[in-house]
Short mmCIF file of all heavy atoms in Angstrom, two decimals:
data_model
loop_
_atom_site.label_atom_id
_atom_site.label_comp_id
_atom_site.label_asym_id
_atom_site.label_seq_id
_atom_site.Cartn_x
_atom_site.Cartn_y
_atom_site.Cartn_z
N LEU A 946 29.72 -42.06 -0.34
CA LEU A 946 28.40 -42.13 -0.96
C LEU A 946 28.48 -42.12 -2.47
O LEU A 946 27.47 -42.23 -3.15
CB LEU A 946 27.55 -40.93 -0.49
CG LEU A 946 27.21 -40.90 0.99
CD1 LEU A 946 26.47 -39.61 1.33
CD2 LEU A 946 26.38 -42.10 1.38
N GLY A 947 29.66 -41.95 -3.02
CA GLY A 947 29.80 -41.90 -4.47
C GLY A 947 29.68 -43.28 -5.10
O GLY A 947 29.95 -44.30 -4.48
N GLY A 948 29.25 -43.28 -6.33
CA GLY A 948 29.19 -44.51 -7.10
C GLY A 948 28.00 -45.37 -6.83
O GLY A 948 27.86 -46.45 -7.39
N ALA A 949 27.09 -44.93 -5.98
CA ALA A 949 25.88 -45.70 -5.67
C ALA A 949 24.68 -44.93 -6.16
O ALA A 949 24.68 -43.71 -6.24
CB ALA A 949 25.78 -45.95 -4.18
N HIS A 950 23.65 -45.65 -6.48
CA HIS A 950 22.41 -45.02 -6.96
C HIS A 950 21.32 -45.24 -5.94
O HIS A 950 21.16 -46.35 -5.44
CB HIS A 950 21.99 -45.61 -8.31
CG HIS A 950 20.84 -44.89 -8.93
ND1 HIS A 950 19.54 -45.14 -8.61
CD2 HIS A 950 20.82 -43.90 -9.86
CE1 HIS A 950 18.75 -44.35 -9.32
NE2 HIS A 950 19.49 -43.59 -10.09
N ALA A 951 20.59 -44.20 -5.64
CA ALA A 951 19.53 -44.29 -4.62
C ALA A 951 18.34 -45.03 -5.20
O ALA A 951 17.45 -44.45 -5.78
CB ALA A 951 19.12 -42.90 -4.16
N SER A 952 18.34 -46.34 -5.06
CA SER A 952 17.24 -47.12 -5.64
C SER A 952 16.66 -48.09 -4.64
O SER A 952 15.91 -48.98 -5.00
CB SER A 952 17.75 -47.89 -6.86
OG SER A 952 18.76 -48.79 -6.48
N GLY A 953 16.99 -47.93 -3.37
CA GLY A 953 16.45 -48.82 -2.36
C GLY A 953 17.21 -50.13 -2.31
O GLY A 953 18.38 -50.22 -2.67
N SER A 954 16.53 -51.19 -1.89
CA SER A 954 17.17 -52.48 -1.78
C SER A 954 17.43 -53.04 -3.16
O SER A 954 16.95 -52.55 -4.17
CB SER A 954 16.28 -53.43 -0.97
OG SER A 954 15.03 -53.56 -1.59
N GLY A 955 18.18 -54.12 -3.23
CA GLY A 955 18.52 -54.68 -4.52
C GLY A 955 19.97 -54.41 -4.83
O GLY A 955 20.77 -54.06 -3.98
N LYS A 956 20.36 -54.59 -6.12
CA LYS A 956 21.76 -54.51 -6.51
C LYS A 956 22.39 -53.17 -6.14
O LYS A 956 23.47 -53.11 -5.57
CB LYS A 956 21.88 -54.76 -8.00
CG LYS A 956 23.33 -54.76 -8.50
CD LYS A 956 23.38 -55.10 -9.98
CE LYS A 956 24.82 -55.11 -10.48
NZ LYS A 956 24.89 -55.42 -11.92
N ALA A 957 21.70 -52.07 -6.51
CA ALA A 957 22.26 -50.76 -6.22
C ALA A 957 22.36 -50.53 -4.72
O ALA A 957 23.32 -49.97 -4.22
CB ALA A 957 21.43 -49.66 -6.87
N GLY A 958 21.32 -50.97 -4.00
CA GLY A 958 21.34 -50.80 -2.56
C GLY A 958 22.48 -51.57 -1.93
O GLY A 958 23.15 -51.09 -1.03
N ARG A 959 22.76 -52.80 -2.45
CA ARG A 959 23.86 -53.58 -1.91
C ARG A 959 25.18 -52.92 -2.24
O ARG A 959 26.12 -52.93 -1.44
CB ARG A 959 23.81 -55.01 -2.47
CG ARG A 959 22.67 -55.84 -1.90
CD ARG A 959 22.84 -57.30 -2.25
NE ARG A 959 22.80 -57.53 -3.69
CZ ARG A 959 21.70 -57.73 -4.38
NH1 ARG A 959 20.52 -57.71 -3.77
NH2 ARG A 959 21.74 -57.95 -5.68
N SER A 960 25.28 -52.30 -3.44
CA SER A 960 26.51 -51.60 -3.81
C SER A 960 26.77 -50.45 -2.85
O SER A 960 27.89 -50.22 -2.42
CB SER A 960 26.39 -51.07 -5.25
OG SER A 960 27.50 -50.26 -5.56
N ARG A 961 25.72 -49.73 -2.51
CA ARG A 961 25.89 -48.61 -1.59
C ARG A 961 26.29 -49.11 -0.21
O ARG A 961 27.12 -48.51 0.45
CB ARG A 961 24.59 -47.80 -1.50
CG ARG A 961 24.72 -46.67 -0.55
CD ARG A 961 23.98 -45.46 -0.92
NE ARG A 961 22.80 -45.72 -1.70
CZ ARG A 961 21.60 -45.32 -1.31
NH1 ARG A 961 21.44 -44.72 -0.18
NH2 ARG A 961 20.55 -45.50 -2.08
#
Side-chain angles (χ1 to χ4, degrees):
L946 295 175
H950 188 277
S952 62
S954 58
K956 183 177 180 181
R959 288 192 297 273
S960 173
R961 179 145 29 122

